[in-house]
Amino acid sequence: MGETHNQIQDHQAQLQLIKLLYQQNPKIVIALEMFQRPYQDVLDQYLQGKIPESQLIEQTQYHQRWGFPWENYAEILRFAQKNNLPVLAINTPTEVTRKVAKEGLESLTPSEQKYIPPISEINLNSPEYRQMLLEIYQQHHHGGKSNSSDFENFFRAQILWDETMADAIANYVKINPDSQVIVLVGQGHVIYNYGIPSRVQRRLEDINSIQRSILFQSPDQDPTSPNNSPISDFIWQH
């Protein structure tokens, strides 16, 4: 489910869909970009009722590492806790992403690589995705060039985000093949399957899995790309 982080309507729709999917199949797990992988244990403690919500927020450093209003996601976490649903922290640690954005993948120490997939599995060969990210980069950096080291490291950091989250999702599916994983991430990680979906599929080639992408959009947003390829499998319009 590709969201716009500050759109409360997106989060209301996510909860609605999660409840409907849970009615169809109680073996669901919710994977969240909003929590980083080192904090899985804290998330588990909350889900087991061992710590209150306030400690979950504090110990995962939610406000420092994510920053969008807690209430955007609170009801989703409460629903998971109430119904004993697993929740996965799938995001890359902020420190690692920032280092890659400044110094590249090769700069990471072994300890910094603990919460990411092996660097050999990080696939940078995606011309269409690269072009889309270049356009985003140029908007924010006043026409930065595609061959600049700054853009190259920005591109690698974005890919690292996608690969880390895809790795966490695929690892769970391999161990729990009868579960349905519901992934909540920003739209940029989902559109045209460039980000997470294609990288999950690559990791699950030997498993009979089906992925479907949903974007939450307002009616004035264009749901197709310039070459008319679909932006996602489904569009939920508010």
Side-chain angles (χ1 to χ4, degrees):
M1 300 184 187
E3 66 175 48
T4 299
H5 302 313
N6 60 359
Q7 291 294 320
I8 190 64
Q9 304 99 314
D10 289 11
H11 307 301
Q12 292 168 342
Q14 288 168 338
L15 181 58
Q16 186 178 345
L17 282 166
I18 288 169
K19 289 179 175 178
L20 289 169
L21 290 167
Y22 177 69
Q23 290 176 4
Q24 293 183 0
N25 174 19
K27 290 186 177 181
I28 65 171
V29 56
I30 304 169
L32 297 178
E33 179 188 7
M34 303 82 217
F35 294 97
Q36 296 174 4
R37 289 177 81 167
Y39 300 96
Q40 182 66 54
D41 182 59
V42 180
L43 202 47
D44 292 342
Q45 289 181 54
Y46 164 77
L47 295 169
Q48 295 161 13
K50 295 179 179 178
I51 60 172
E53 201 170 284
S54 59
Q55 285 191 33
L56 170 65
I57 296 168
E58 180 183 349
Q59 292 181 27
T60 59
Q61 301 179 24
Y62 174 86
H63 291 301
Q64 300 94 313
R65 292 176 179 272
W66 190 244
F68 291 95
W70 171 252
E71 287 303 317
N72 288 4
Y73 306 99
E75 289 300 326
I76 293 170
L77 270 295
R78 292 165 191 162
F79 180 80
Q81 186 193 54
K82 179 182 177 181
N83 293 282
N84 298 313
L85 300 178
V87 178
L88 303 181
I90 62 172
N91 208 346
T92 317
T94 304
E95 300 87 344
V96 174
T97 309
R98 285 179 178 165
K99 188 172 183 182
V100 171
K102 289 180 180 178
E103 303 175 39
L105 284 165
E106 298 75 15
S107 69
L108 296 178
T109 66
S111 63
E112 289 169 332
Q113 295 179 39
K114 181 178 180 182
Y115 294 105
I116 66 171
I119 290 178
S120 61
E121 293 181 12
I122 297 173
N123 181 7
L124 299 167
N125 183 24
S126 181
E128 298 90 351
Y129 195 25
R130 184 188 182 92
Q131 182 59 35
M132 186 186 81
L133 290 174
L134 175 61
E135 291 169 9
I136 294 170
Y137 180 84
Q138 288 174 332
Q139 289 172 12
H140 288 87
H141 295 83
H142 310 291
K145 296 180 180 179
S146 62
N147 61 352
S148 72
S149 59
D150 287 345
F151 169 72
E152 197 61 39
N153 287 335
F154 166 79
F155 176 63
R156 288 171 186 242
Q158 294 295 314
I159 295 288
L160 176 62
W161 243 343
D162 294 325
E163 292 282 16
T164 299
M165 291 192 279
D167 184 61
I169 296 160
N171 287 344
Y172 188 89
V173 172
K174 288 174 183 176
I175 298 170
N176 305 277
D178 59 341
S179 291
Q180 182 175 23
V181 183
I182 302 169
V183 183
L184 275 54
V185 293
Q187 287 194 8
H189 297 292
V190 175
I191 56 176
Y192 309 117
N193 286 338
Y194 292 156
I196 294 173
S198 64
R199 296 163 202 281
V200 170
Q201 188 62 44
R202 192 184 80 226
R203 289 173 164 83
L204 298 179
E205 285 181 338
D206 299 329
I207 295 177
N208 184 23
S209 63
I210 298 172
Q211 292 189 81
R212 293 290 182 264
S213 59
I214 303 171
L215 292 187
F216 303 97
Q217 292 188 309
S218 60
D220 59 345
Q221 288 178 286
D222 185 358
T224 58
S225 69
N227 62 5
N228 291 322
S229 61
I231 197 169
S232 64
D233 294 308
F234 299 99
I235 301 288
W236 178 296
Q237 291 192 330
H238 300 303

